[in-house]
Amino acid sequence: MQTSVTFKKMDSSDSLKAYAQKKLDKFDRMLDNPGEVHLVLSVQKIRHIAELTLTCDRINIHATEESENMYSTIDTLMDKVRGQIKKHKEKIKRHMSGNKQSLKNDTLEFNATQTPIKPDQMTEEIIIEPIDNKPMDVDDAVSELNSSNQSFFVFNNARTEQLNVLYKHQNGKLGLIQPRG
């Protein structure tokens, strides 16, 4: 990764430059192709400001951060940029997977405490249970639901010859889901 560090209104420091370079090297592993980074470190009164512009193959990221300590400013800035790179990579992955969801209306937000569930993880957690396909009356389905410890019961309605779902509400009442038509 090609990196340039500029100091504005402050003395250049090799330790700050090395610290920023060490943090920026981690982005090399996250990006598919080598990128170009321009980092501007400046001081205005007591505020330490770090401004980063990252340009890579199909990604342009610009981020700014400020605090009272330059090292913490750099750390926070790198966290922001890492989140933006992850967000961009997820968007590209969803687009390449054939998901036709509009990328312009995408509302995926970065949250450091949240780990996204990958589509292959969701299919591993699905448990397939076969059901009896014998036709029964709604009254019989109610007695089956009451005798089981399940919160719902799927059955084939003998009167309509369609699949129905009988479920228990939180208030204790029963609900019936029927197809329209």
Side-chain angles (χ1 to χ4, degrees), residues 85-141:
I85 291 172
K86 284 182 182 179
K87 180 180 174 181
H88 178 74
K89 288 184 86 165
E90 272 299 312
K91 188 184 285 187
I92 295 298
K93 188 189 301 182
R94 275 196 323 274
H95 180 67
M96 294 301 202
S97 70
N99 189 352
K100 301 300 180 196
Q101 178 184 5
S102 172
L103 294 177
K104 289 183 180 176
N105 297 334
D106 191 17
T107 59
L108 178 68
E109 294 180 13
F110 172 70
N111 187 347
T113 60
Q114 215 174 25
T115 56
I117 297 174
K118 297 179 177 119
D120 58 327
Q121 287 177 334
M122 290 190 318
T123 57
E124 292 174 0
E125 296 177 9
I126 295 175
I127 300 170
I128 299 173
E129 295 182 17
I131 60 169
D132 292 332
N133 200 15
K134 63 179 185 179
M136 64 174 56
D137 205 347
V138 176
D139 295 331
D140 296 333

